[in-house]
Amino acid sequence: MVKAVFPGTFDPPTVGHLDIITRAAAAFDELIVATGVNQSKNRLFEPQERIEMLTELVEPFPNVRIGTFEGLLVDYCRAEGAGVIVKGLRSAADYDYELQMAQLNRRMTGVDTHFLPTAPENAFISSSWVKEIARLGGDVSTFVTPAVHARLLNTL
Ligand code: PNS
């Protein structure tokens, strides 16, 4: 049985994240979508709000649950008994950044990273840009689910 962790900030989760969750849920026996709760600037949603949005998002997938972690991702994977980290890749820039983390994580504990190429129609979507566009009054309704969109409008 292969248990995988899909980590991220998910501030907020996008349709790009949902695509990776859908495909990883089909590929692995169990998937934990884990949101990091380390303090960092430019957060829009509190950890509890991100957990609520993610819980709604994964509701259709019986083998997916939500987790939170603070500290090293590899320590969380070890505590959960997960041997695989799942990451979506949108571009070569993502790859350059993620490759180093994947190699470090594997060297530290042996947990391996599986990359999924983002669907082309989602390749330009990022939580950071979604937040900025929404803050400046742009329409982000096709970048997030209706439930997340409603929260965005209520939070801004
Ligand atoms: O959605 P994001 O912001 O790209 O997610 C980044 C995240 C949370 C997956 C990454 O920053 C992470 O793994 N943080 C945990 C701290 C850690 O393990 N750092 C060492 C990485 S080699």
Side-chain angles (χ1 to χ4, degrees):
M1 177 171 133
V2 182
K3 191 190 278 194
V5 170
F6 176 35
T9 308
F10 304 110
D11 184 47
T14 68
V15 295
H17 293 129
L18 179 58
D19 173 56
I20 299 298
I21 292 167
T22 304
R23 291 156 60 196
F28 299 104
D29 300 299
E30 187 179 341
L31 180 70
I32 306 171
V33 180
T35 181
V37 294
N38 290 338
Q39 285 301 329
S40 156
K41 57 183 184 316
N42 200 30
R43 292 279 189 276
L44 178 61
F45 292 102
E46 295 297 323
Q48 186 53 38
E49 295 176 288
R50 286 184 266 134
I51 291 166
E52 286 167 15
M53 288 187 281
L54 288 169
T55 302
E56 288 170 11
L57 206 64
V58 307
E59 207 266 332
F61 306 98
N63 62 333
V64 182
R65 64 182 166 89
I66 304 306
T68 59
F69 69 99
E70 203 167 2
L72 284 178
L73 174 60
V74 286
D75 287 340
Y76 177 76
C77 290
R78 190 158 34 196
E80 288 287 350
V84 172
I85 295 166
V86 176
K87 292 284 184 90
L89 289 182
R90 290 166 298 194
S91 64
D94 273 359
Y95 177 74
D96 282 346
Y97 180 69
E98 294 292 346
L99 176 65
Q100 188 181 11
M101 278 202 288
Q103 290 168 331
L104 285 164
N105 285 333
R106 182 155 181 262
R107 176 65 65 87
M108 283 191 284
T109 57
V111 67
D112 221 338
T113 298
H114 292 214
F115 292 126
L116 286 174
T118 299
E121 63 270 27
N122 297 328
F124 50 85
I125 300 173
S126 77
S127 298
S128 305
W129 286 118
V130 165
K131 276 184 286 191
E132 175 159 327
I133 294 167
R135 276 185 182 127
L136 296 172
D139 179 7
V140 294
S141 58
T142 59
F143 306 149
V144 294
T145 61
V148 171
H149 190 233
R151 276 188 192 254
L152 262 173
L153 295 180
N154 280 335
T155 304
L156 293 167

